[in-house]
Short mmCIF file of all heavy atoms in Angstrom, two decimals:
data_model
loop_
_atom_site.label_atom_id
_atom_site.label_comp_id
_atom_site.label_asym_id
_atom_site.label_seq_id
_atom_site.Cartn_x
_atom_site.Cartn_y
_atom_site.Cartn_z
N MET C 1 0.84 -1.19 0.00
CA MET C 1 0.00 0.00 0.00
C MET C 1 0.89 1.25 0.00
O MET C 1 1.88 1.32 0.69
CB MET C 1 -0.87 -0.03 1.25
CG MET C 1 -1.83 1.11 1.29
SD MET C 1 -2.60 1.35 2.89
CE MET C 1 -2.36 -0.18 3.74
N SER C 2 0.48 2.18 -0.79
CA SER C 2 1.33 3.36 -0.93
C SER C 2 0.57 4.63 -0.56
O SER C 2 -0.66 4.71 -0.70
CB SER C 2 1.81 3.44 -2.38
OG SER C 2 1.97 4.75 -2.79
N ARG C 3 1.30 5.58 -0.09
CA ARG C 3 0.72 6.88 0.25
C ARG C 3 0.08 7.53 -0.97
O ARG C 3 -0.80 8.37 -0.84
CB ARG C 3 1.81 7.81 0.77
CG ARG C 3 2.14 7.65 2.23
CD ARG C 3 3.18 8.68 2.65
NE ARG C 3 2.74 10.04 2.42
CZ ARG C 3 2.07 10.76 3.31
NH1 ARG C 3 1.79 10.25 4.47
NH2 ARG C 3 1.70 11.99 3.05
N GLU C 4 0.60 7.12 -2.15
CA GLU C 4 0.12 7.76 -3.38
C GLU C 4 -1.19 7.16 -3.88
O GLU C 4 -1.78 7.68 -4.82
CB GLU C 4 1.18 7.66 -4.48
CG GLU C 4 2.56 8.17 -4.07
CD GLU C 4 2.53 9.56 -3.46
OE1 GLU C 4 1.85 10.43 -4.04
OE2 GLU C 4 3.15 9.78 -2.42
N ASP C 5 -1.63 6.06 -3.27
CA ASP C 5 -2.89 5.45 -3.72
C ASP C 5 -4.04 6.43 -3.54
O ASP C 5 -4.22 7.01 -2.46
CB ASP C 5 -3.20 4.19 -2.89
CG ASP C 5 -2.27 3.04 -3.22
OD1 ASP C 5 -1.58 3.13 -4.25
OD2 ASP C 5 -2.25 2.08 -2.44
N VAL C 6 -4.82 6.57 -4.58
CA VAL C 6 -5.98 7.47 -4.50
C VAL C 6 -7.12 6.76 -3.78
O VAL C 6 -7.50 5.65 -4.14
CB VAL C 6 -6.41 7.90 -5.92
CG1 VAL C 6 -7.72 8.68 -5.86
CG2 VAL C 6 -5.32 8.75 -6.55
N ILE C 7 -7.62 7.39 -2.76
CA ILE C 7 -8.71 6.77 -1.99
C ILE C 7 -10.04 7.41 -2.36
O ILE C 7 -11.08 6.80 -2.25
CB ILE C 7 -8.40 6.82 -0.47
CG1 ILE C 7 -9.27 5.83 0.30
CG2 ILE C 7 -8.53 8.23 0.09
CD1 ILE C 7 -8.75 5.48 1.68
N CYS C 8 -10.01 8.64 -2.82
CA CYS C 8 -11.22 9.33 -3.29
C CYS C 8 -10.96 9.82 -4.71
O CYS C 8 -10.22 10.77 -4.92
CB CYS C 8 -11.57 10.50 -2.38
SG CYS C 8 -12.91 11.52 -3.02
N ALA C 9 -11.58 9.12 -5.66
CA ALA C 9 -11.33 9.43 -7.07
C ALA C 9 -11.90 10.80 -7.46
O ALA C 9 -11.30 11.53 -8.23
CB ALA C 9 -11.93 8.35 -7.95
N CYS C 10 -13.04 11.13 -6.92
CA CYS C 10 -13.69 12.41 -7.30
C CYS C 10 -12.81 13.61 -6.96
O CYS C 10 -12.68 14.53 -7.75
CB CYS C 10 -15.01 12.58 -6.58
SG CYS C 10 -16.27 11.41 -7.09
N ARG C 11 -12.25 13.58 -5.79
CA ARG C 11 -11.46 14.73 -5.33
C ARG C 11 -9.96 14.47 -5.43
O ARG C 11 -9.16 15.28 -4.97
CB ARG C 11 -11.84 15.07 -3.89
CG ARG C 11 -13.28 15.51 -3.74
CD ARG C 11 -13.43 16.93 -4.23
NE ARG C 11 -14.78 17.26 -4.61
CZ ARG C 11 -15.66 17.84 -3.80
NH1 ARG C 11 -15.34 18.17 -2.59
NH2 ARG C 11 -16.87 18.11 -4.23
N HIS C 12 -9.62 13.32 -5.97
CA HIS C 12 -8.24 12.91 -6.12
C HIS C 12 -7.45 13.05 -4.81
O HIS C 12 -6.40 13.69 -4.74
CB HIS C 12 -7.55 13.69 -7.23
CG HIS C 12 -6.41 12.93 -7.83
ND1 HIS C 12 -6.58 11.99 -8.82
CD2 HIS C 12 -5.09 12.91 -7.52
CE1 HIS C 12 -5.42 11.46 -9.10
NE2 HIS C 12 -4.50 11.99 -8.33
N VAL C 13 -7.99 12.46 -3.77
CA VAL C 13 -7.33 12.49 -2.47
C VAL C 13 -6.63 11.15 -2.25
O VAL C 13 -7.22 10.09 -2.50
CB VAL C 13 -8.36 12.75 -1.34
CG1 VAL C 13 -7.69 12.70 0.03
CG2 VAL C 13 -9.03 14.11 -1.55
N THR C 14 -5.39 11.21 -1.82
CA THR C 14 -4.61 9.98 -1.62
C THR C 14 -4.69 9.50 -0.17
O THR C 14 -5.08 10.25 0.73
CB THR C 14 -3.13 10.22 -1.96
OG1 THR C 14 -2.61 11.20 -1.06
CG2 THR C 14 -2.95 10.68 -3.39
N LYS C 15 -4.27 8.25 0.02
CA LYS C 15 -4.23 7.69 1.37
C LYS C 15 -3.29 8.51 2.24
O LYS C 15 -3.54 8.72 3.42
CB LYS C 15 -3.76 6.24 1.32
CG LYS C 15 -4.83 5.33 0.76
CD LYS C 15 -4.36 3.91 0.65
CE LYS C 15 -5.50 3.03 0.15
NZ LYS C 15 -5.07 1.69 -0.20
N GLY C 16 -2.20 8.97 1.64
CA GLY C 16 -1.25 9.78 2.39
C GLY C 16 -1.88 11.06 2.92
O GLY C 16 -1.60 11.48 4.04
N GLU C 17 -2.75 11.64 2.11
CA GLU C 17 -3.40 12.87 2.56
C GLU C 17 -4.37 12.60 3.71
O GLU C 17 -4.50 13.41 4.64
CB GLU C 17 -4.13 13.52 1.39
CG GLU C 17 -3.18 14.15 0.38
CD GLU C 17 -3.90 14.64 -0.86
OE1 GLU C 17 -4.17 13.82 -1.76
OE2 GLU C 17 -4.21 15.83 -0.91
N VAL C 18 -5.04 11.44 3.63
CA VAL C 18 -5.94 11.06 4.73
C VAL C 18 -5.12 10.84 6.00
O VAL C 18 -5.47 11.31 7.08
CB VAL C 18 -6.75 9.79 4.37
CG1 VAL C 18 -7.52 9.27 5.58
CG2 VAL C 18 -7.71 10.07 3.22
N ARG C 19 -4.00 10.16 5.82
CA ARG C 19 -3.10 9.88 6.94
C ARG C 19 -2.61 11.20 7.57
O ARG C 19 -2.56 11.34 8.79
CB ARG C 19 -1.92 9.07 6.38
CG ARG C 19 -1.09 8.37 7.39
CD ARG C 19 -1.71 7.04 7.78
NE ARG C 19 -0.87 6.41 8.79
CZ ARG C 19 -0.99 6.63 10.08
NH1 ARG C 19 -1.92 7.42 10.53
NH2 ARG C 19 -0.18 6.04 10.93
N ASP C 20 -2.22 12.14 6.73
CA ASP C 20 -1.75 13.44 7.23
C ASP C 20 -2.86 14.16 7.99
O ASP C 20 -2.61 14.79 9.02
CB ASP C 20 -1.27 14.31 6.06
CG ASP C 20 0.01 13.77 5.44
OD1 ASP C 20 0.67 12.93 6.07
OD2 ASP C 20 0.35 14.21 4.32
N ALA C 21 -4.07 14.07 7.47
CA ALA C 21 -5.20 14.71 8.15
C ALA C 21 -5.40 14.08 9.52
O ALA C 21 -5.67 14.77 10.51
CB ALA C 21 -6.47 14.59 7.32
N MET C 22 -5.24 12.75 9.59
CA MET C 22 -5.39 12.06 10.87
C MET C 22 -4.30 12.51 11.85
O MET C 22 -4.56 12.73 13.03
CB MET C 22 -5.30 10.54 10.67
CG MET C 22 -6.53 9.97 9.97
SD MET C 22 -6.34 8.23 9.57
CE MET C 22 -6.59 7.47 11.19
N LYS C 23 -3.09 12.64 11.33
CA LYS C 23 -1.98 13.09 12.18
C LYS C 23 -2.24 14.49 12.68
O LYS C 23 -1.83 14.87 13.77
CB LYS C 23 -0.67 13.07 11.39
CG LYS C 23 -0.03 11.71 11.35
CD LYS C 23 1.34 11.81 10.69
CE LYS C 23 1.54 10.64 9.75
NZ LYS C 23 2.59 10.88 8.78
N ALA C 24 -2.94 15.28 11.88
CA ALA C 24 -3.24 16.66 12.27
C ALA C 24 -4.47 16.75 13.17
O ALA C 24 -4.90 17.83 13.54
CB ALA C 24 -3.43 17.51 11.01
N GLY C 25 -5.04 15.59 13.50
CA GLY C 25 -6.11 15.61 14.48
C GLY C 25 -7.47 15.11 14.01
O GLY C 25 -8.40 15.00 14.81
N ALA C 26 -7.62 14.83 12.72
CA ALA C 26 -8.90 14.32 12.24
C ALA C 26 -9.12 12.92 12.78
O ALA C 26 -8.26 12.07 12.62
CB ALA C 26 -8.90 14.30 10.71
N ASP C 27 -10.24 12.69 13.45
CA ASP C 27 -10.44 11.32 13.91
C ASP C 27 -11.80 10.73 13.55
O ASP C 27 -12.21 9.72 14.09
CB ASP C 27 -10.06 11.12 15.38
CG ASP C 27 -10.98 11.82 16.34
OD1 ASP C 27 -12.07 12.25 15.92
OD2 ASP C 27 -10.64 11.92 17.51
N CYS C 28 -12.46 11.35 12.61
CA CYS C 28 -13.65 10.73 12.05
C CYS C 28 -13.74 11.13 10.57
O CYS C 28 -13.02 12.02 10.12
CB CYS C 28 -14.91 11.13 12.81
SG CYS C 28 -15.26 12.89 12.71
N PHE C 29 -14.62 10.45 9.86
CA PHE C 29 -14.73 10.70 8.42
C PHE C 29 -15.02 12.18 8.14
O PHE C 29 -14.45 12.78 7.23
CB PHE C 29 -15.84 9.82 7.84
CG PHE C 29 -16.17 10.17 6.42
CD1 PHE C 29 -15.31 9.84 5.39
CD2 PHE C 29 -17.33 10.87 6.14
CE1 PHE C 29 -15.61 10.19 4.08
CE2 PHE C 29 -17.64 11.22 4.83
CZ PHE C 29 -16.78 10.88 3.81
N LYS C 30 -15.89 12.75 8.94
CA LYS C 30 -16.26 14.16 8.76
C LYS C 30 -15.05 15.09 8.81
O LYS C 30 -14.93 16.03 8.02
CB LYS C 30 -17.24 14.57 9.87
CG LYS C 30 -18.62 14.91 9.37
CD LYS C 30 -19.41 15.39 10.56
CE LYS C 30 -20.75 15.92 10.16
NZ LYS C 30 -21.55 16.29 11.34
N ASP C 31 -14.18 14.83 9.79
CA ASP C 31 -12.96 15.65 9.93
C ASP C 31 -12.08 15.52 8.69
O ASP C 31 -11.54 16.51 8.21
CB ASP C 31 -12.14 15.20 11.15
CG ASP C 31 -12.83 15.52 12.47
OD1 ASP C 31 -13.77 16.33 12.46
OD2 ASP C 31 -12.43 14.94 13.49
N VAL C 32 -11.95 14.27 8.20
CA VAL C 32 -11.11 14.05 7.02
C VAL C 32 -11.73 14.76 5.81
O VAL C 32 -11.04 15.37 5.00
CB VAL C 32 -10.94 12.53 6.75
CG1 VAL C 32 -10.35 12.28 5.37
CG2 VAL C 32 -10.05 11.91 7.81
N ARG C 33 -13.03 14.70 5.70
CA ARG C 33 -13.70 15.36 4.58
C ARG C 33 -13.44 16.87 4.64
O ARG C 33 -13.17 17.51 3.64
CB ARG C 33 -15.20 15.08 4.64
CG ARG C 33 -15.92 15.57 3.38
CD ARG C 33 -17.38 15.26 3.39
NE ARG C 33 -18.01 15.87 4.53
CZ ARG C 33 -19.21 15.52 5.01
NH1 ARG C 33 -19.88 14.56 4.43
NH2 ARG C 33 -19.72 16.12 6.06
N LYS C 34 -13.54 17.40 5.84
CA LYS C 34 -13.30 18.84 6.01
C LYS C 34 -11.87 19.21 5.63
O LYS C 34 -11.61 20.21 4.98
CB LYS C 34 -13.56 19.25 7.46
CG LYS C 34 -14.76 20.17 7.60
CD LYS C 34 -14.82 20.72 9.00
CE LYS C 34 -15.97 20.08 9.77
NZ LYS C 34 -15.89 20.26 11.21
N ALA C 35 -10.94 18.36 6.05
CA ALA C 35 -9.52 18.67 5.86
C ALA C 35 -9.05 18.44 4.42
O ALA C 35 -8.20 19.17 3.93
CB ALA C 35 -8.67 17.83 6.82
N THR C 36 -9.61 17.41 3.75
CA THR C 36 -9.07 17.04 2.44
C THR C 36 -10.06 17.20 1.30
O THR C 36 -9.67 17.21 0.14
CB THR C 36 -8.62 15.56 2.44
OG1 THR C 36 -9.79 14.73 2.58
CG2 THR C 36 -7.65 15.27 3.56
N GLY C 37 -11.33 17.27 1.61
CA GLY C 37 -12.35 17.31 0.57
C GLY C 37 -12.81 15.93 0.16
O GLY C 37 -13.78 15.78 -0.58
N ALA C 38 -12.11 14.88 0.64
CA ALA C 38 -12.46 13.51 0.27
C ALA C 38 -13.89 13.19 0.69
O ALA C 38 -14.31 13.51 1.79
CB ALA C 38 -11.50 12.52 0.95
N GLY C 39 -14.61 12.55 -0.21
CA GLY C 39 -15.97 12.14 0.12
C GLY C 39 -17.00 13.23 -0.06
O GLY C 39 -18.17 13.04 0.24
N GLY C 40 -16.57 14.35 -0.59
CA GLY C 40 -17.48 15.48 -0.71
C GLY C 40 -18.30 15.50 -1.99
O GLY C 40 -19.08 16.40 -2.20
N LYS C 41 -18.10 14.48 -2.83
CA LYS C 41 -18.85 14.50 -4.09
C LYS C 41 -19.83 13.33 -4.16
O LYS C 41 -20.95 13.46 -3.72
CB LYS C 41 -17.88 14.53 -5.27
CG LYS C 41 -18.45 15.24 -6.46
CD LYS C 41 -17.39 15.44 -7.52
CE LYS C 41 -18.04 15.97 -8.79
NZ LYS C 41 -17.10 15.96 -9.90
N CYS C 42 -19.38 12.18 -4.70
CA CYS C 42 -20.33 11.07 -4.86
C CYS C 42 -20.53 10.29 -3.56
O CYS C 42 -21.54 9.64 -3.39
CB CYS C 42 -19.88 10.13 -5.97
SG CYS C 42 -18.51 9.05 -5.49
N GLY C 43 -19.53 10.35 -2.68
CA GLY C 43 -19.65 9.67 -1.39
C GLY C 43 -19.32 8.19 -1.41
O GLY C 43 -19.37 7.52 -0.38
N LYS C 44 -18.97 7.66 -2.58
CA LYS C 44 -18.69 6.23 -2.70
C LYS C 44 -17.47 5.81 -1.90
O LYS C 44 -17.32 4.65 -1.53
CB LYS C 44 -18.44 5.86 -4.16
CG LYS C 44 -19.69 5.50 -4.90
CD LYS C 44 -19.31 4.93 -6.26
CE LYS C 44 -20.46 5.08 -7.23
NZ LYS C 44 -20.02 5.09 -8.61
N CYS C 45 -16.57 6.73 -1.65
CA CYS C 45 -15.33 6.40 -0.97
C CYS C 45 -15.47 6.41 0.55
O CYS C 45 -14.55 6.05 1.26
CB CYS C 45 -14.25 7.39 -1.37
SG CYS C 45 -14.77 9.09 -1.05
N LYS C 46 -16.62 6.82 1.01
CA LYS C 46 -16.82 6.98 2.46
C LYS C 46 -16.45 5.71 3.24
O LYS C 46 -15.71 5.75 4.22
CB LYS C 46 -18.28 7.36 2.72
CG LYS C 46 -18.56 7.74 4.15
CD LYS C 46 -19.98 8.25 4.27
CE LYS C 46 -20.33 8.48 5.73
NZ LYS C 46 -21.65 9.10 5.88
N LYS C 47 -16.98 4.57 2.78
CA LYS C 47 -16.71 3.29 3.44
C LYS C 47 -15.22 2.99 3.44
O LYS C 47 -14.66 2.55 4.43
CB LYS C 47 -17.45 2.16 2.72
CG LYS C 47 -18.64 1.65 3.45
CD LYS C 47 -19.11 0.37 2.79
CE LYS C 47 -20.45 -0.05 3.37
NZ LYS C 47 -21.08 -1.05 2.51
N LYS C 48 -14.61 3.22 2.27
CA LYS C 48 -13.18 2.94 2.10
C LYS C 48 -12.36 3.78 3.07
O LYS C 48 -11.43 3.31 3.70
CB LYS C 48 -12.76 3.27 0.66
CG LYS C 48 -12.29 2.09 -0.11
CD LYS C 48 -11.54 2.40 -1.38
CE LYS C 48 -12.14 3.47 -2.27
NZ LYS C 48 -11.44 3.66 -3.54
N ILE C 49 -12.72 5.05 3.17
CA ILE C 49 -11.97 5.96 4.04
C ILE C 49 -12.15 5.57 5.51
O ILE C 49 -11.20 5.52 6.27
CB ILE C 49 -12.42 7.42 3.80
CG1 ILE C 49 -11.97 7.87 2.41
CG2 ILE C 49 -11.86 8.35 4.88
CD1 ILE C 49 -12.52 9.20 1.96
N LYS C 50 -13.38 5.22 5.87
CA LYS C 50 -13.63 4.81 7.26
C LYS C 50 -12.81 3.57 7.61
O LYS C 50 -12.23 3.49 8.68
CB LYS C 50 -15.12 4.54 7.47
CG LYS C 50 -15.92 5.80 7.65
CD LYS C 50 -17.34 5.44 7.97
CE LYS C 50 -18.10 6.67 8.47
NZ LYS C 50 -19.49 6.36 8.77
N LYS C 51 -12.79 2.60 6.69
CA LYS C 51 -12.03 1.37 6.90
C LYS C 51 -10.54 1.71 7.04
O LYS C 51 -9.85 1.19 7.91
CB LYS C 51 -12.22 0.45 5.71
CG LYS C 51 -12.81 -0.88 6.06
CD LYS C 51 -12.83 -1.73 4.82
CE LYS C 51 -13.33 -3.12 5.11
NZ LYS C 51 -13.48 -3.87 3.86
N TYR C 52 -10.08 2.55 6.16
CA TYR C 52 -8.67 2.94 6.18
C TYR C 52 -8.33 3.60 7.52
O TYR C 52 -7.30 3.31 8.13
CB TYR C 52 -8.39 3.90 5.02
CG TYR C 52 -6.96 4.37 4.98
CD1 TYR C 52 -5.97 3.59 4.39
CD2 TYR C 52 -6.60 5.60 5.52
CE1 TYR C 52 -4.65 4.02 4.37
CE2 TYR C 52 -5.28 6.03 5.49
CZ TYR C 52 -4.32 5.24 4.92
OH TYR C 52 -3.02 5.66 4.90
N MET C 53 -9.21 4.46 7.98
CA MET C 53 -8.98 5.14 9.25
C MET C 53 -8.96 4.15 10.40
O MET C 53 -8.12 4.25 11.29
CB MET C 53 -10.06 6.20 9.49
CG MET C 53 -9.96 7.38 8.54
SD MET C 53 -11.20 8.62 8.87
CE MET C 53 -10.50 9.37 10.36
N ASP C 54 -9.89 3.19 10.38
CA ASP C 54 -9.91 2.19 11.45
C ASP C 54 -8.60 1.41 11.49
O ASP C 54 -8.08 1.11 12.55
CB ASP C 54 -11.07 1.20 11.23
CG ASP C 54 -12.40 1.82 11.58
OD1 ASP C 54 -12.41 2.88 12.25
OD2 ASP C 54 -13.43 1.26 11.18
N ARG C 55 -8.11 1.11 10.30
CA ARG C 55 -6.88 0.33 10.22
C ARG C 55 -5.66 1.12 10.70
O ARG C 55 -4.69 0.55 11.17
CB ARG C 55 -6.65 -0.14 8.79
CG ARG C 55 -6.70 -1.65 8.68
CD ARG C 55 -6.43 -2.14 7.29
NE ARG C 55 -7.53 -1.82 6.39
CZ ARG C 55 -7.36 -1.28 5.19
NH1 ARG C 55 -6.18 -0.99 4.73
NH2 ARG C 55 -8.40 -1.03 4.43
N HIS C 56 -5.69 2.42 10.57
CA HIS C 56 -4.50 3.21 10.87
C HIS C 56 -4.60 4.04 12.14
O HIS C 56 -3.64 4.67 12.54
CB HIS C 56 -4.18 4.12 9.69
CG HIS C 56 -3.71 3.35 8.52
ND1 HIS C 56 -4.58 2.77 7.62
CD2 HIS C 56 -2.47 3.00 8.11
CE1 HIS C 56 -3.90 2.12 6.71
NE2 HIS C 56 -2.63 2.22 6.98
N ARG C 57 -5.74 4.03 12.75
CA ARG C 57 -5.95 4.85 13.94
C ARG C 57 -4.92 4.58 15.03
O ARG C 57 -4.42 5.50 15.65
CB ARG C 57 -7.37 4.63 14.46
CG ARG C 57 -7.75 5.61 15.52
CD ARG C 57 -9.24 5.65 15.71
NE ARG C 57 -9.88 6.48 14.68
CZ ARG C 57 -10.90 6.10 13.94
NH1 ARG C 57 -11.42 4.92 14.10
NH2 ARG C 57 -11.41 6.89 13.03
N ASP C 58 -4.64 3.29 15.25
CA ASP C 58 -3.74 2.94 16.35
C ASP C 58 -2.29 2.81 15.93
O ASP C 58 -1.41 2.56 16.76
CB ASP C 58 -4.20 1.64 17.01
CG ASP C 58 -5.62 1.79 17.54
OD1 ASP C 58 -5.92 2.87 18.06
OD2 ASP C 58 -6.41 0.84 17.42
N ALA C 59 -2.03 2.97 14.65
CA ALA C 59 -0.65 2.86 14.18
C ALA C 59 0.16 4.08 14.59
O ALA C 59 -0.40 5.15 14.84
CB ALA C 59 -0.64 2.72 12.67
N ASP C 60 1.44 3.90 14.65
CA ASP C 60 2.31 5.03 14.99
C ASP C 60 2.24 6.06 13.87
O ASP C 60 2.20 5.70 12.71
CB ASP C 60 3.76 4.56 15.13
CG ASP C 60 3.96 3.81 16.42
OD1 ASP C 60 3.22 4.09 17.39
OD2 ASP C 60 4.84 2.94 16.47
N PRO C 61 2.26 7.32 14.23
CA PRO C 61 2.20 8.36 13.21
C PRO C 61 3.39 8.31 12.26
O PRO C 61 4.42 7.79 12.59
CB PRO C 61 2.21 9.67 13.97
CG PRO C 61 2.11 9.37 15.40
CD PRO C 61 2.32 7.88 15.58
S1 FES B 1 -14.89 8.90 -4.74
FE1 FES B 1 -14.84 10.20 -3.04
S2 FES B 1 -16.52 11.54 -3.33
FE2 FES B 1 -16.55 10.27 -5.07
#
């Protein structure tokens, strides 16, 4: 898995950007959407982003 992987196609947001938003304090999907714009269009990526966040929440920054 790479930081460059696009997690939200509509807004072209990468996993790395989601990760950075989490490091900056985002801890729910809404926060990530606010910080990156991800999920703000079709919403199809919402599940993917939530899963990704769950997987990385406890990982070291
Ligand atoms: S893929 Fe993220 S809003 Fe459409």
